[in-house]
Amino acid sequence: MSAKIESAMVMAAGIGKRMRPLTATRPKPLVRVAGKALIDHSLDRIEAAGVGHVVVNVHYLADALEAHLAAQKRSFTIAISDERGQLLETGGGMVKALPQLKGDPILIANSDNIWIDGPEDSIRHLARHWDGTKMDALLLLIRQASATGHSGRGDFHMDGHGKLSRRKPGRIAPFVYTGIQLISPRLLDGAPEGAFSTNILWDRAIAAGRLYGVSHMGQWFDVGTPASIAPTEAALTDG
């Protein structure tokens, strides 16, 4: 039975150093790709999946991002998790936003990836595979060969049951994290204070056998640098 996703968090507080010079005057989520701000691509998918409440964290050039979000006409409500005082990284950002998030599981999505659904809506695909009795997090993964615009040696191995393990040093792993995941609030139990990476939480879940993944069946684009924009736009147009 598919899990009901009541709320989502969009990670949008980063400095966007790799996207310079475009981020000299605007936050990375407002960089335009294929006629719309990066963050709007993610919000479109979240809206299509029927999620009712979205929290967006802000830090760099936060006023511009807040103004953009305030002008949105969406089927969901939008709340701001304000990190102006301290950038909390991915893990710390989730901890700060948690009181504003509803339900179990919660959708977490980066604001600098664009994805096209395959045969099934990708967020609903995640929800259909969620099993809270054995999972603390369920990551949407894509095979490295299909990860458009992404460089690296991959992030995870996935066994036949969907259980994840890390890439070994000096080796290559077949799956890349797309920036989209479902988490249970219990993933954050006993989390560190202040700024920290989600990797700390994932490693703890791996050790407990509670980190799982599913394979993305559509297209995915890592839009991390100015050079990645034109190829992404071309692929979206061709599609």
Side-chain angles (χ1 to χ4, degrees), residues 9 27 34 41 48 58 64-65 68 75 83-84 96 105 110 113 137 157 182-183 196-197 199 208 213 219 236 238-239:
M9 179 179 184
H41 289 276
V58 300
L65 186 52
H68 178 82
S75 60
E83 297 182 23
R84 284 176 174 86
K96 181 176 175 63
N110 291 347
N113 304 134
H157 297 273
L182 291 180
I183 69 162
F196 70 94
S197 170
N199 283 308
Q219 290 180 287
L236 292 171
D238 289 345

Side-chain angles (χ1 to χ4, degrees), residues 18 144-145 147 149-155 167 171-176 222:
R18 292 195 305 135
Q144 186 177 353
H150 184 80
S151 60
R153 296 184 173 185
D155 300 316
R167 176 180 62 82
R171 302 288 185 89
I172 292 174
F175 289 100
V176 171
D222 184 352

Side-chain angles (χ1 to χ4, degrees), residues 130-161:
W130 177 260
D131 183 349
T133 65
K134 66 181 184 181
M135 300 172 180
D136 288 340
L138 178 64
L139 281 53
L140 186 67
L141 305 175
I142 190 163
R143 288 198 173 274
Q144 186 177 353
S146 302
T148 307
H150 184 80
S151 60
R153 296 184 173 185
D155 300 316
F156 294 101
H157 297 273
M158 181 165 58
D159 71 14
H161 302 286

Side-chain angles (χ1 to χ4, degrees), residues 3 25 27 30 47 66 78 88 138 141 180 189 201-202 232 238:
T25 57
L30 295 188
E47 186 170 38
E66 282 199 76
I78 300 177
L88 293 170
L138 178 64
L141 305 175
I180 306 154
D189 288 348
L201 306 176
W202 286 344
T232 300
D238 289 345

